[in-house]
Amino acid sequence: MGACEFSNFYIGKKTPQEAFNQLSDQARSEYGSDPYNGTISTTDLTSITELPSGMSPQKYLKAYAEEVDKRECWCVELKRSYLLTAKKRHPEVKGKKGIRAYIFFGLASM
């Protein structure tokens, strides 16, 4: 079987593990529970890190995408200006406290 790259974005109040579980549940709802459906639901959350200062999310994903093994999902938490930008793009979180934003990426089985 092969693998495909994926990335998912989350913004809200959940922890990384809770957000991962929510995104996995959504993927199973949309694509079924086939262990080779090519979505986040076929992976395990193996790494949680904060976006390094001075590095954009795009550069981070490009730099580390090849280090992720099949069936792994890595989470990078957005901070500082990237978190502010994410909040501006999602009016549903306007005025709410405790908002966090994550990008989940990895290799899903297909």
Side-chain angles (χ1 to χ4, degrees):
M1 294 287 157
C4 67
E5 293 179 358
F6 71 89
S7 65
N8 293 90
F9 175 78
Y10 170 85
I11 189 164
K13 293 187 175 187
K14 296 183 185 251
T15 66
Q17 186 64 55
E18 291 168 338
F20 172 81
N21 292 342
Q22 178 182 323
L23 292 170
S24 293
D25 289 346
Q26 287 173 347
R28 274 189 287 282
S29 175
E30 289 179 37
Y31 299 98
S33 58
D34 179 352
Y36 300 101
N37 66 20
T39 69
I40 192 172
S41 69
T42 67
T43 65
D44 295 315
L45 183 59
T46 59
S47 175
I48 301 168
T49 190
E50 200 175 284
L51 184 66
S53 181
M55 185 179 250
S56 72
Q58 295 82 2
K59 284 184 181 180
Y60 186 89
L61 268 61
K62 189 174 183 177
Y64 292 99
E66 291 185 14
E67 291 188 29
V68 180
D69 288 330
K70 188 175 177 183
R71 292 188 172 261
E72 280 189 347
C73 177
W74 288 16
C75 172
V76 60
E77 183 172 3
L78 304 181
K79 295 285 189 166
R80 298 169 294 283
S81 63
Y82 294 106
L83 177 58
L84 293 175
T85 299
K87 286 179 177 181
K88 287 178 185 174
R89 292 183 180 169
H90 293 271
E92 69 273 14
V93 299
K94 185 176 182 176
K96 294 183 180 178
K97 298 207 185 284
I99 297 299
R100 300 168 81 179
Y102 312 110
I103 297 174
F104 295 89
F105 66 101
L107 287 175
S109 295
M110 58 175 285

